[in-house]
């Protein structure tokens, strides 16, 4: 970590930018999403520069003890980051994160980002009888999501469609948990 920040510091010094834009995703800086040492190094990197922070993610959600603890630590980290770095501009890419951050009294602007994933062209193997839903990253197996998916499956079945749920970047344990809660006969994971 020290050598990465030394390289970044050298690059910033040579480039001499007026602004630095931090694209914040907690898990990209530390495997559990708790990059506390990152904040210490970051203060030195942005010193004397205008700072923009783009919150692509803020903190995890969940009802289990482990998720609650990590969520509280991530909230604390985000607050400390904004307090100590005093960014000139803050954006969030999702309305949920904008709302979460505004609750701290900060001026946040929502800046939706476009997808860099191409729209696939229909192939000969395209099945018009399947309605696909994709979730990128970790999906919550909360009652509201399960109910939502089951309602979609019910509506799709009424018009003759099978629902297929694509979980992209989701752990196998989360897939199994979700599969146990949804109607297997209606949704294929």
């Amino acid at each position: 970590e020290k050598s990465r920040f030394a390289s970044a510091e050298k690059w910033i010094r040579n480039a001499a930018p007026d602004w630095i834009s931090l694209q914040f995703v907690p898990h990209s800086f530390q495997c559990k999403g708790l990059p506390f040492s990152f904040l210490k190094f970051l203060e030195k990197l942005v010193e004397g520069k205008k700072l923009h922070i783009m919150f692509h993610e803020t903190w995890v959600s969940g009802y289990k003890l482990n998720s609650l603890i990590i969520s509280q630590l991530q909230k604390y980290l985000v607050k400390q980051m904004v307090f100590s770095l005093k960014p000139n501009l803050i954006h969030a890419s999702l309305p949920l994160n904008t709302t979460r951050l505004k609750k701290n009294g900060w001026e946040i602007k929502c800046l939706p980002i476009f997808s860099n994933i191409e729209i696939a062209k229909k192939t000969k193997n395209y099945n018009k009888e399947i309605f696909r839903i994709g979730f990128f990253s970790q999906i919550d197996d909360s009652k509201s999501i399960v109910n939502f998916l089951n309602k979609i499956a019910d509506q799709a079945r009424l018009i003759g469609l099978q629902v297929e749920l694509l979980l992209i970047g989701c752990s196998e344990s989360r897939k199994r948990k979700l599969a146990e809660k949804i109607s297997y006969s209606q949704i294929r994971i």
Side-chain angles (χ1 to χ4, degrees):
E1 190 172 59
K2 286 182 182 181
S3 66
R4 283 195 342 248
F5 274 96
S7 294
E9 185 177 18
K10 182 179 176 183
W11 189 90
I12 290 171
R13 188 173 49 249
N14 290 337
D18 295 323
W19 281 83
I20 292 178
S21 180
L22 171 64
Q23 305 296 305
F24 188 74
V25 179
H27 289 87
S28 70
F29 300 109
Q30 199 272 338
C31 64
K32 294 202 182 294
L34 300 170
F36 285 101
S37 59
F38 173 73
L39 182 57
K40 177 181 70 170
F41 287 112
L42 194 57
E43 288 175 350
K44 188 174 181 185
L45 283 180
V46 302
E47 192 174 44
K49 309 285 184 214
K50 290 184 178 179
L51 177 65
H52 165 251
I53 300 177
M54 172 60 141
F55 285 98
H56 294 281
E57 295 177 7
T58 51
W59 47 82
V60 295
S61 301
Y63 305 102
K64 297 191 175 153
L65 182 61
N66 187 43
S67 295
L68 289 171
I69 291 169
I70 290 175
S71 177
Q72 291 305 309
L73 289 170
Q74 287 176 328
K75 284 180 192 177
Y76 173 79
L77 182 79
V78 166
K79 287 178 183 178
Q80 284 302 112
M81 184 186 317
V82 173
F83 177 75
S84 65
L85 298 177
K86 297 175 180 44
N88 302 81
L89 180 62
I90 304 172
H91 281 117
S93 56
L94 298 172
L96 169 67
N97 293 334
T98 304
T99 302
R100 284 177 164 181
L101 295 166
K102 279 184 177 182
K103 287 181 180 178
N104 291 294
W106 305 322
E107 184 180 335
I108 311 294
K109 297 179 179 178
C110 189
L111 181 64
I113 55 175
F114 59 89
S115 172
N116 61 356
I117 301 171
E118 282 186 49
I119 297 173
K121 294 184 172 104
K122 292 181 182 178
T123 65
K124 292 178 185 175
N125 299 330
Y126 177 71
N127 189 338
K128 293 180 182 177
E129 296 170 0
I130 295 177
F131 181 77
R132 288 186 179 92
I133 302 169
F135 280 93
F136 182 76
S137 192
Q138 300 296 324
I139 186 172
D140 190 353
D141 61 346
S142 67
K143 186 177 180 180
S144 61
I145 289 178
V146 170
N147 287 343
F148 174 72
L149 291 172
N150 283 326
K151 284 180 184 176
I152 287 176
D154 288 340
Q155 293 299 312
R157 193 179 66 227
L158 289 174
I159 59 172
L161 297 176
Q162 170 69 36
V163 174
E164 186 174 274
L165 182 60
L166 304 173
L167 302 175
I168 306 157
C170 187
S171 69
E172 287 301 316
S173 63
R174 286 215 182 201
K175 286 180 185 178
R176 281 192 301 274
K177 280 181 168 178
L178 184 62
E180 290 169 6
K181 291 186 175 183
I182 62 173
S183 174
Y184 245 116
S185 63
Q186 294 184 50
I187 299 177
R188 199 169 52 181
I189 295 180

